[in-house]
Structure formats: C-alpha cells, structure tokens
C-alpha cells in the first residue's frame, strides 16, 4: 500500500477539533496523568494543511468544562486549570513563529512522546500522528513488535523512513516518532523540514515505566529474560549510548531532570504531561527566537 494513501485516509487522533459545527473551532481538554489520556478517533480526508486550522484570531480558544458540584473545586482541579491557562498562553506566543511547520518529537521508548504530542497538537490546533501507527497501517500488521517478528527491524526502518518522508511534505502536524527513528540520517533530512524536540527522560524513570507496563510491545526488549526493570535499564543504557548523539541533533531538548529541579522535586515521576508540554513550547520559543532570521518559503499558513 502506498504511504500517501495511508496518510490521506487513516484513522487518527485529531485533537482539538470542535465537532459542534464550527469547523475552525478548537478546544483544550485538561490533561490527566500519563495513563489517563483520552483519544478522539476520526477519519482524515483531504489536505492536512486545512486540518487543525487556527481560529480567525490565529490562536486556539480554551474551553474548560466545569461542574457545579462543590467537590470539583479542589486544589488539584484549580492547579490543572492554572496549568492549562499557562500552556495556552505560551502556545499563543509560539504559534505565529511556527509558520505551519511540523513538530517532531524524538526520544527513547517510553519517554511520553505520544502523550505530550497530543497535548501540543491540541493547544496549537495541529493534527497528531504517531509514526509507528502509520507504519503498522501501511504494512497491515497490528504492532511494531509483530513487524519485527514477521519481517525484520530493517524492514520496519525502511517503512518508517517512507512514512517520515511523506509527513515531511505536510504542514501543521505534531508527530511522535519511534525511539530509533533518529539512527538514520535520511530521517533527519525529513524531520528537519520542521522542528525537532527531544524528550530527555532519565533512564531509571524509563526503566520503571516500561517494567510497570510490560515489554510485550517493545521488540528490542521483549526477547530478553530476567527481571523486567533490570533488563529494561540495561537495554536502555545500551541504546542511549548508541543514540545519544543522534538525539542531541534536535532543535530543542526537554530535560525532565531540569524541569523537576526547577519545581523543587527530586523525582521526575511527579511531573505531569502538561509540565513537559509547557517546557517543550518554551524550548521551541527559545530556538525560534535565536533563529528568527531563518525562513523557509515552503511553510505557508493556509
């Protein structure tokens, strides 16, 4: 199946689209913890540049659904509202300078690229894609692990590159890439058509997260036996040594250790996806301000 066909008629999460009749409307859901993110499934037709178009003002509109019950006025709820408002304000600062460019999230397996990517796509009124899911659909196999088993890692990487090539010709997308997408220079050529953000998560935190959910969906980990945490940490350490310099090619680095330190925490597990998305926008803002003279005529706001 041609990649273009998959991208033009694929079931994906279009976060932030208002289905109430206002075709340009956008909304922001308050993000919960990592495992509580909800997905809105829709079928995408037509030119991606028309999907997730900004409001007439150029910025997303924040809509917060409130409940009249008194117990909804908890401190956690208000903290979430405050975080969402801060995130919205920062998206308004960054949006005009994106000029329609796609945002590619890179990082190790389990670093939260999909969760953070959906939040970013929502506040920016972009569309969201997961490159692994696109490869699965193109190949007609239900999981990356199964593709590795039935074919090979090289087969998967070839199709991953085809997907990234097709995505690079589009606009206004947030793309969560696979952990190993950075190892091929050709993929950087495609991703550098947009902006790249590295989610840098401590290996201990990644190993704990992966061990907690299991390794069945992680083809580079699943074949090994032993204690889930120990084998995850050992493999992640090896992968980090192999890919560290490649991740560092990203335009912006979001270091979870740094975010936790700024908040006075010693453990990155207390960070919310909103915290990380906000840091990503701030890092992008810094990069764009430092490179404001760099323009590309192919990025045109629709």
């Amino acid at each position: 199946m041609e990649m273009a066909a998959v991208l033009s008629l694929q079931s994906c999460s279009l976060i932030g689209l208002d289905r109430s009749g206002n075709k340009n409307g956008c909304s922001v859901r308050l993000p919960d913890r990592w495992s509580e993110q909800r997905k809105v499934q829709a079928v995408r037709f037509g030119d991606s540049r028309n999907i997730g178009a900004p409001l007439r003002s150029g910025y997303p509109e924040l809509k917060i659904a409130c409940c009249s019950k008194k117990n909804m006025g908890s401190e956690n709820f208000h903290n979430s509202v405050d975080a969402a408002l801060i995130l919205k304000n920062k998206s308004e600062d960054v949006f005009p300078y994106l000029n329609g460019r796609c945002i590619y999230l890179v990082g190790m397996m389990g670093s939260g690229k999909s969760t953070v990517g959906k939040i970013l796509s929502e506040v920016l009124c972009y569309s969201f894609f997961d490159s692994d899911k696109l490869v699965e659909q193109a190949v007609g196999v239900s999981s990356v692990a199964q593709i590795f088993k039935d074919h090979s890692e090289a087969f998967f990487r070839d199709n991953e590159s085809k997907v990234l090539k097709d995505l690079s010709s589009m606009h206004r997308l947030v793309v969560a890439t696979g952990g190993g997408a950075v190892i091929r220079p050709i993929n950087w050529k495609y991703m550098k058509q947009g902006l790249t953000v590295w989610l840098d998560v401590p290996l201990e935190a990644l190993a704990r997260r992966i061990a907690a959910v299991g390794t069945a969906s992680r083809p580079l980990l699943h074949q090994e036996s032993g204690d889930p945490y120990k084998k995850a940490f050992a493999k992640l350490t090896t992968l980090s040594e192999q890919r560290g310099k490649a991740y560092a090619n990203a335009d912006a680095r979001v270091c979870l250790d740094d975010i936790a330190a700024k908040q006075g925490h010693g453990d990155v597990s207390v960070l919310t996806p909103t915290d990380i998305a906000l840091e990503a926008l701030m890092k992008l803002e810094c990069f764009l301000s430092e490179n404001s003279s760099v323009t590309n005529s192919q990025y045109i706001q629709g």
Side-chain angles (χ1 to χ4, degrees), residues 14-27:
L14 299 181
I15 306 298
L17 297 186
D18 186 346
R19 298 299 179 182
S20 61
N22 178 5
K23 66 180 180 179
N24 288 328
C26 298
S27 62

Side-chain angles (χ1 to χ4, degrees), residues 2-274:
E2 293 294 331
M3 293 295 169
V6 174
L7 293 173
S8 63
L9 277 174
Q10 78 123 18
S11 176
C12 64
S13 295
L14 299 181
I15 306 298
L17 297 186
D18 186 346
R19 298 299 179 182
S20 61
N22 178 5
K23 66 180 180 179
N24 288 328
C26 298
S27 62
V28 173
R29 288 193 307 271
L30 296 178
D32 300 316
R33 301 297 294 181
W34 291 98
S35 62
E36 298 173 349
Q37 295 297 316
R38 292 177 296 171
K39 298 179 181 178
V40 178
Q41 294 297 322
V43 177
R44 174 182 161 273
F45 293 90
D47 190 336
S48 66
R49 288 173 292 183
N50 295 325
I51 294 179
L55 298 177
R56 184 172 299 177
S57 65
Y59 305 123
E61 175 187 356
L62 183 70
K63 296 179 181 178
I64 300 174
C66 297
C67 178
S68 60
K69 293 182 179 180
K70 293 183 180 180
N71 61 5
M72 289 298 290
S74 66
E75 182 179 351
N76 288 339
F77 175 75
H78 288 298
N79 288 341
S80 295
V81 171
D82 291 342
L85 289 173
I86 295 171
L87 187 63
K88 171 191 176 288
N89 290 335
K90 183 53 62 178
S91 73
E92 292 179 351
D93 293 338
V94 173
F95 181 85
Y97 301 99
L98 293 176
N99 202 23
R101 280 173 284 189
C102 297
I103 298 172
Y104 297 87
L105 300 180
V106 302
M108 295 284 282
M109 63 179 79
S111 59
K113 298 184 292 290
S114 293
T115 302
V116 173
K118 289 170 187 175
I119 295 173
L120 290 174
S121 69
E122 188 169 317
V123 295
L124 294 170
C125 276
Y126 272 33
S127 299
F128 174 77
F129 286 92
D130 183 312
S131 65
D132 282 353
K133 298 297 182 185
L134 290 175
V135 174
E136 291 168 5
Q137 292 178 27
V139 176
V141 177
S142 61
S143 70
V144 173
Q146 196 64 39
I147 295 174
F148 272 55
K149 181 179 179 180
D150 293 348
H151 301 280
S152 65
E153 180 178 357
F155 177 85
F156 171 81
R157 298 297 174 200
D158 289 342
N159 282 277
E160 180 179 57
S161 294
K162 292 176 183 177
V163 162
L164 291 173
K165 179 181 179 180
D166 283 331
L167 290 173
S168 70
S169 66
M170 300 182 184
H171 307 275
R172 295 178 181 170
L173 307 178
V174 176
V175 181
T177 67
V182 298
I183 63 178
R184 287 193 172 186
I186 188 64
N187 292 344
W188 281 105
K189 176 183 177 181
Y190 302 140
M191 292 190 292
K192 285 294 186 176
Q193 297 298 310
L195 299 161
T196 50
V197 179
W198 171 25
L199 300 188
D200 185 8
V201 184
L203 297 184
E204 296 86 351
L206 286 176
R208 286 196 300 268
R209 189 179 300 166
I210 291 171
V213 300
T215 60
S217 63
R218 310 289 182 184
L220 295 180
L221 297 177
H222 191 51
Q223 293 86 352
E224 301 178 19
S225 60
D227 177 76
Y229 172 82
K230 291 181 178 179
K231 73 175 184 179
F233 183 79
K235 185 62 176 181
L236 289 170
T237 299
T238 300
L239 291 174
S240 179
E241 293 171 352
Q242 296 171 349
R243 301 173 180 175
K245 291 183 179 179
Y247 289 135
N249 287 325
D251 299 317
R253 175 187 175 222
V254 176
C255 177
L256 270 66
D257 273 335
D258 290 347
I259 305 174
K262 285 191 294 185
Q263 294 187 4
H265 302 305
D267 186 356
V268 300
S269 65
V270 303
L271 300 176
T272 68
T274 304

